[in-house]
């Protein structure tokens, strides 16, 4: 079939939507990040790079948010990846039981994050919740505590919910990756006398490396953007111990009415996420295994 | 091929034209008639009091009967969402011809952006009690009329207090004694304090009112003239810590939300509820047999006490400056503030109002009425107009509840305040 340049016209609607809803707001964020706009007033001043300098050198809460985000991210990336891989390895065969359990593990993903936040806030609640009484019943009364009220562990309590929420989703990516590993390789390795661990470490792990890279990259980005869960469960408290970058941006813009400042923070967040995405793509390309 | 391509382009263009035409029509409809019948105008009334919608609906029904050519489209949003999105809703007059505002940061921002109309000269302004509406003034003009009068001091279970022979305390020692007696009698929460969301912002007010008598204190803190590391705030934090360390807040204040605290109090697991009078109607619905009253923690000796409690005038009614239906919006406010409408609203919702001639009939309101005669101070938190300062101050209470020493918590808060100045 002959390719006609006029077919490019069909790209226009999509390009227009992309330009309107992605490019323009992004440019807008860059523009407002060098102003002191409060989000309501029509007048504002240009402040150059002052917002960026303030954020990086002077803002205790911003730096704390960044630190909290890293704790949250590490907990989620490590445990979500491990759990989802284990579940994927257990449930890889397409039996009826496995399909049922896959659906069961995937189920939290289809819930709205606000519902998840509501359910888990109730579970964690110290007086009317169910986690502490459950722990006491099974003889673990010594570890009961204020799961969202203790600033040392609140961020990890949130990370646990995030893991519960998304492990099933990530598991599906691993199952797809595992099902693409040729069976002949396992058969040949078994004939050669390889054990379960050797088959996993020498065949499975290298061949699912692109899936792992994608899962890790996706989880990192998801952890940076975990706004709804954090906002609905703790609002960033107590004492900023669960404030992460996105809640910081939201509070700056909509509670403190500092849209310019919040735009600068969101540009920094965009740069971080873009950097991670670039590293992720490079790793995917490097980890591609021909078979 | 070319023919098919031309048809496709033509089809897309026609579809676009049809959609554009529909869009124009609907926009016109909503701006001129608000979707109602020809000649009718629909005004938008937005606020955050979802629990009051039934009562407002009664008043709106009466209003529409008197003004058949004006419809009122009311929307209530969750308070945090409302706080964050109000200015967006008001822009271009798209919604909120009549809207409610919080005093403090929101009032400053909305009036600063020119989104609230000056209603100084309106006849209905004179229906309000003078001392309560100054919070809606800026630069000599009236931009908002606070409708609700709230007492931001703990609610107590009068039935339980009578049972243990307790009276509302008159000094700090007395307050500690009341808590101790409740605890010794097995009350799980002598004072339930919902610090998971709104508790700090409420309880800080009566806790500081007599520790620092200067009503301009937060203005001075925001201007860098005074600091939260001074005695008055450190003492306030120390007293909150004392209550927490003695277990008077129960097991875990930081894990309790406002809703949960209301339920705990209604279930009579708590002697006091560290919120305000606005919780009384909800608690009364859940436990109509429980008699309630209001009390304030006096953090000084009886002789040094100046203020007996805290009041807030809030739910500031205003007209959107960008609206092209200002006259209809004012008619609605005029109707809403008539004594008969106000009485319906007050008795249905258990809210004291800032208006004259309201007929308070409900038990909950009768319990609050004596407080209108007491020497109460306007809620200090609402005099904080910088959101970062407010977060820092509330964060220092969080810190104390998690075990940080009061002086250190105050120091951390001051660092954030210094940075925001």
């Amino acid at each position: 079939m002959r390719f006609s340049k006029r077919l490019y016209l069909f790209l226009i609607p999509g390009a227009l939507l992309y330009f309107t809803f992605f490019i323009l707001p992004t440019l807008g964020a860059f523009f407002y990040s060098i102003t002191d706009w409060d989000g309501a007033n029509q007048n504002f001043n240009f402040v150059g790079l002052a917002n960026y300098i303030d954020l990086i050198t002077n803002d205790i809460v911003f730096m704390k948010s960044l630190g909290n985000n890293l704790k949250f991210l590490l907990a989620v990336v490590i445990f979500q990846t491990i759990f989802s891989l284990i579940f994927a390895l257990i449930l890889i065969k397409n039996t009826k039981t496995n399909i049922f359990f896959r659906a069961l593990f995937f189920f939290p993903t289809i819930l709205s994050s606000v519902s998840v936040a509501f359910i888990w806030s109730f579970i964690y609640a110290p007086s009317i919740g169910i986690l502490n009484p459950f722990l006491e019943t099974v003889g673990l009364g010594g570890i009961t505590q204020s799961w969202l009220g203790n600033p040392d562990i609140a961020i990890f309590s949130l990370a646990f919910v995030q893991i519960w929420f998304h492990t099933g989703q990530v598991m599906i990516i691993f199952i797809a990756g595992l099902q693409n590993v040729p069976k002949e390789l396992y058969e040949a390795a078994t004939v050669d006398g390889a054990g379960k661990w050797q088959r996993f470490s020498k065949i499975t792990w290298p061949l699912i490396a692109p899936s792992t890279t994608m899962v890790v990259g996706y989880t990192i980005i998801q952890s940076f953007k975990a706004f709804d869960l954090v906002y609905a469960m703790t609002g960033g408290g107590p004492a900023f111990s669960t404030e992460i970058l996105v809640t910081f941006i939201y509070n700056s813009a909509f509670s403190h009415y500092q849209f310019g400042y919040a735009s600068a923070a969101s540009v920094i967040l965009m740069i971080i996420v873009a950097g991670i995405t670039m590293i992720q793509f490079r790793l995917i390309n490097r980890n591609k295994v021909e078979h | 091929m070319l023919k098919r391509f031309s048809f496709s382009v033509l089809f897309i263009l026609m579809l676009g034209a049809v959609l554009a035409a529909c869009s124009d029509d609907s926009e016109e409809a909503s701006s001129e008639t608000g979707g109602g019948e020809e000649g009718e105008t629909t005004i938008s009334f937005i606020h955050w009091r979802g629990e009051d919608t039934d009562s407002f609906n009664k008043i709106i029904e009466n209003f529409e009967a008197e003004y058949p050519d004006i419809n009122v489209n009311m929307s209530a949003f969750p308070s945090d969402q409302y706080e964050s999105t109000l200015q967006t809703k008001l822009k271009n007059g798209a919604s909120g011809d009549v809207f409610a505002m919080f005093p403090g940061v929101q009032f400053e921002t909305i009036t600063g952006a020119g989104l609230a109309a000056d209603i100084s000269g309106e006849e209905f302004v004179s229906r309000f009690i003078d001392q309560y509406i100054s919070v809606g003034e800026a630069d000599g003009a009236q931009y908002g009329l606070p409708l609700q009068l709230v007492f931001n001091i703990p609610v107590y279970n009068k039935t339980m207090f009578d049972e243990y022979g307790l009276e509302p305390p008159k000094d700090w020692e007395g307050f500690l004694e009341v808590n101790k007696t409740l605890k010794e009698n097995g009350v799980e929460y002598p004072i339930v304090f919902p610090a998971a969301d709104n508790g700090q912002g409420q309880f800080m007010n009566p806790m500081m009112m007599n520790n620092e008598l200067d009503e301009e204190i937060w203005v001075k803190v925001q201007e860098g003239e005074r600091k939260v590391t001074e005695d008055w705030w450190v003492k306030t934090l120390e007293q909150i810590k004392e209550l927490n360390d003695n277990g008077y807040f129960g097991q875990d204040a930081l894990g309790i939300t406002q809703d949960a605290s209301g339920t705990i109090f209604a279930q009579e697991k708590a002697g006091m509820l560290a919120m305000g009078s606005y919780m009384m109607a909800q608690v009364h619905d859940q436990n109509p047999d429980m008699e309630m009253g209001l009390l304030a923690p006096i953090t000084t000796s009886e002789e040094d006490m100046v203020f007996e409690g805290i009041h807030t005038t809030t739910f500031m009614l205003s007209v959107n400056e960008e609206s092209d239906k200002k006259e209809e919006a004012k008619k609605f406010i005029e109707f809403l503030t008539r004594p008969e409408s106000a009485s319906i609203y007050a008795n249905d919702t258990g809210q004291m109002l800032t208006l004259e001639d309201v007929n308070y009939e409900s038990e909950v309101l009768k319990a609050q009425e004596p407080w209108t005669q007491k020497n109460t101070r306007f809620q200090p938190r609402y005099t904080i107009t910088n959101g970062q300062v407010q977060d820092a101050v509330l964060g220092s209470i969080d810190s104390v509840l998690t075990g940080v020493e009061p002086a250190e918590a105050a120091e951390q808060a001051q660092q954030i305040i210094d940075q925001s100045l």
Side-chain angles (χ1 to χ4, degrees):
Chain A
M1 194 176 82
R2 200 167 62 84
F3 180 78
S4 167
K5 284 182 181 171
R6 275 180 291 203
L7 289 175
Y8 281 118
L9 287 172
F10 284 98
L11 290 176
I12 290 173
L16 273 177
L17 287 174
Y18 186 74
F19 181 78
T20 311
F21 294 109
F22 181 77
I23 303 285
L24 272 184
T26 307
L27 292 175
F30 276 102
F31 174 77
Y32 288 119
S33 75
I34 54 167
T35 70
D36 63 357
W37 188 44
D38 67 2
N41 213 313
Q42 288 181 346
N43 304 318
F44 52 80
N45 302 305
F46 286 98
V47 295
L49 295 176
N51 287 335
Y52 292 95
I53 293 166
D54 248 15
L55 279 167
I56 294 165
T57 62
N58 195 28
D59 195 324
I60 303 161
V61 180
F62 178 75
M63 296 315 284
K64 199 169 168 102
S65 310
L66 197 57
N68 290 337
N69 227 145
L70 289 175
K71 285 184 202 168
F72 182 79
L73 180 154
L74 280 175
V76 173
V77 167
I78 292 169
F79 290 103
Q80 187 169 294
T81 307
I82 291 172
F83 287 146
S84 56
L85 181 57
I86 291 171
F87 291 145
L89 286 166
I90 295 170
L91 303 175
I92 184 170
K93 286 185 185 165
N94 289 328
T95 64
K96 276 186 183 172
T97 315
N98 284 357
I99 290 169
F100 168 76
F101 277 108
R102 278 183 215 164
L104 190 70
F105 289 143
F106 190 76
F107 177 72
T109 310
I110 61 172
L111 296 174
S112 84
S113 40
V114 176
S115 308
V116 170
F118 184 77
I119 292 166
W120 277 93
S121 295
F122 171 69
I123 290 172
Y124 282 143
S127 51
I128 52 174
I130 56 172
L131 182 57
N132 282 346
F134 170 76
L135 290 172
E136 274 164 14
T137 309
V138 298
L140 294 171
I143 63 166
T144 58
Q145 59 179 300
S146 171
W147 300 99
L148 297 174
N150 180 341
D152 296 328
I153 63 155
I155 193 78
F156 298 109
S157 303
L158 291 176
F160 183 82
V161 179
Q162 176 84 350
I163 293 165
W164 177 85
F165 194 11
H166 291 292
T167 294
Q169 185 185 6
V170 173
M171 176 191 75
I172 299 297
I173 301 174
F174 272 129
I175 288 177
L178 286 167
Q179 287 180 338
N180 278 333
V181 179
K183 287 192 179 65
E184 303 82 51
L185 294 177
Y186 292 117
E187 288 163 5
T190 309
V191 169
D192 289 342
K196 274 188 179 174
W197 172 247
Q198 281 177 311
R199 289 204 298 272
F200 175 77
S201 60
K202 305 290 181 191
I203 300 171
T204 309
W205 184 246
L207 290 181
I208 61 162
S211 302
T212 311
T213 315
M214 183 187 280
V215 162
V216 171
Y218 172 70
T219 310
I220 289 173
I221 293 168
Q222 203 180 41
S223 303
F224 270 114
K225 296 164 76 177
F227 170 78
D228 29 17
L229 207 60
V230 177
Y231 189 75
M233 288 184 74
T234 63
F240 307 109
S241 63
T242 59
E243 186 93 290
I244 59 172
L245 287 178
V246 278
T247 54
F248 174 87
I249 291 167
Y250 179 86
N251 286 332
S252 297
F254 298 109
S255 298
H256 308 160
Y257 301 104
Q258 296 176 313
F259 271 71
Y261 199 62
S263 298
S266 58
V267 168
I268 292 175
L269 175 65
M270 193 165 66
I271 291 167
I272 293 171
V273 173
I276 292 167
T277 311
M278 280 169 64
I279 294 168
Q280 180 198 355
F281 278 124
R282 283 191 177 191
L283 286 175
I284 287 177
N285 287 332
R286 194 188 296 169
N287 289 335
K288 267 185 186 164
V289 177
E290 298 296 331
H291 53 80
Chain B
M1 179 71 191
L2 183 63
K3 198 173 170 187
R4 223 185 303 167
F5 176 76
S6 307
F7 270 122
S8 304
V9 171
L10 193 63
F11 174 71
I12 290 168
L13 287 174
M14 283 173 68
L15 187 67
V18 170
L19 287 173
C22 290
S23 155
D24 280 349
D25 282 346
S26 58
E27 204 169 280
E28 200 172 314
S30 70
S31 66
E32 285 191 1
T33 67
E37 286 176 24
E38 207 173 324
E40 289 184 5
T41 302
T42 296
I43 56 169
S44 152
F45 171 38
I46 59 173
H47 61 87
W48 67 86
R49 294 279 306 176
E51 58 271 53
D52 296 353
T53 50
D54 286 347
S55 184
F56 277 130
N57 276 331
K58 279 187 205 168
I59 298 167
I60 289 169
E61 206 175 299
N62 296 342
F63 173 77
E64 289 175 346
E66 186 169 323
Y67 295 98
D69 54 339
I70 307 175
N71 297 315
V72 180
N73 181 9
M74 175 175 64
S75 303
F77 302 87
S79 60
D80 53 347
Q81 189 190 333
Y82 189 78
E83 206 167 345
S84 59
T85 57
L86 179 61
Q87 77 271 28
T88 316
K89 294 184 200 306
L90 297 180
K91 277 186 181 173
N92 309 318
S95 69
D97 301 301
V98 178
F99 65 97
M101 272 187 290
F102 292 99
V105 181
Q106 191 176 59
F107 176 75
E108 293 286 323
T109 309
I110 297 297
T111 51
L115 291 170
D118 179 2
I119 45 176
S120 308
E122 301 300 324
E123 178 266 332
F124 52 76
V125 176
S126 62
R127 293 177 186 163
F128 287 79
I129 301 166
D130 270 353
Q131 70 178 96
Y132 292 138
I133 60 171
S134 57
V135 67
E137 285 174 19
D139 305 323
Q142 193 78 43
Y143 292 106
L145 290 165
L147 183 65
Q148 297 173 353
L149 174 62
V150 166
F151 297 104
N152 309 79
I153 48 178
V155 183
Y156 75 98
N157 181 339
K158 205 163 182 291
T159 316
M160 188 186 283
F161 269 48
D162 289 345
E163 189 185 334
Y164 299 129
L166 298 170
E167 287 288 326
K170 292 179 176 159
D171 58 16
W172 183 240
E173 290 307 316
F175 189 67
L176 291 175
E177 198 54 42
V178 162
N179 278 281
K180 191 178 169 199
T181 307
L182 290 169
K183 197 181 174 195
E184 282 171 355
N185 281 286
V187 177
E188 197 177 339
Y189 299 87
I191 179 162
V192 61
F193 179 32
D197 44 25
N198 300 325
Q200 299 89 327
Q202 295 302 296
F203 197 48
M204 65 170 267
N205 300 296
M207 288 299 290
M208 66 160 285
M209 67 185 178
N210 286 307
N211 289 346
E212 173 52 67
L213 300 175
D214 184 355
E215 296 193 55
E216 296 290 304
I217 181 65
W218 291 114
V219 177
K220 290 175 181 169
V221 168
Q222 290 179 148
E223 286 169 355
E225 283 177 38
R226 300 286 302 272
K227 290 186 183 298
V228 292
T229 47
E230 292 168 15
D231 281 351
W232 61 277
W233 186 247
V234 175
K235 181 186 173 190
T236 304
L237 293 178
E238 277 168 353
Q239 289 173 318
I240 291 173
K241 183 177 163 56
E242 190 175 2
L243 295 172
N244 192 45
D245 290 353
N246 284 321
Y248 299 151
F249 291 145
Q251 195 192 351
D252 173 28
L254 284 162
I256 299 174
T257 59
Q258 180 176 332
D259 288 342
S261 72
T263 305
I264 288 167
F265 186 67
Q267 288 172 347
E268 305 202 38
K269 290 180 183 170
M272 291 171 274
L273 168 60
M275 294 299 284
S277 57
Y278 49 88
M279 295 291 286
M280 293 172 86
Q282 176 197 327
V283 172
H284 181 72
D285 285 347
Q286 290 180 46
N287 185 352
D289 297 332
M290 189 169 93
E291 208 182 327
M292 288 175 284
L294 292 166
L295 65 80
I298 304 303
T299 55
T300 58
S301 62
E302 194 178 349
E303 302 77 57
D304 292 338
M305 179 199 77
V306 172
F307 295 108
E308 294 173 273
I310 296 286
H311 77 263
T312 303
T313 46
T314 182
F315 201 80
M316 293 202 281
L317 293 168
S318 189
V319 172
N320 186 350
E321 177 65 21
E322 309 256 300
S323 166
D324 54 0
K325 301 165 206 161
K326 287 196 193 73
E327 286 315 308
E328 290 84 353
K330 286 174 190 169
K331 278 181 185 164
F332 180 62
I333 295 181
E334 187 279 322
F335 190 87
L336 190 60
T337 54
R338 288 181 194 173
E340 55 272 27
S341 301
S343 300
I344 291 174
Y345 178 67
N347 290 303
D348 280 356
T349 63
Q351 305 274 353
M352 297 291 292
L353 302 184
T354 51
L355 290 154
E356 309 266 14
D357 305 323
V358 180
N359 182 19
Y360 297 115
E361 288 167 350
S362 86
E363 250 180 66
V364 163
L365 291 171
K366 283 180 180 162
Q368 295 173 45
E369 220 171 351
W371 283 84
T372 57
Q373 308 303 318
K374 297 198 183 202
N375 182 25
T376 56
R377 171 175 172 173
F378 181 72
Q379 182 180 166
R381 184 173 68 96
Y382 275 146
T383 61
I384 307 177
T385 52
N386 179 322
Q388 276 173 295
V389 173
Q390 180 173 278
D391 284 357
V393 170
L394 300 181
S396 67
I397 299 175
D398 281 0
S399 298
V400 163
L401 294 175
T402 63
V404 176
E405 284 303 314
E408 190 187 339
E411 187 62 47
Q412 289 168 357
Q414 188 58 49
Q415 279 179 22
I416 298 172
I417 293 169
D418 287 342
Q419 164 212 312
S420 72
L421 299 181

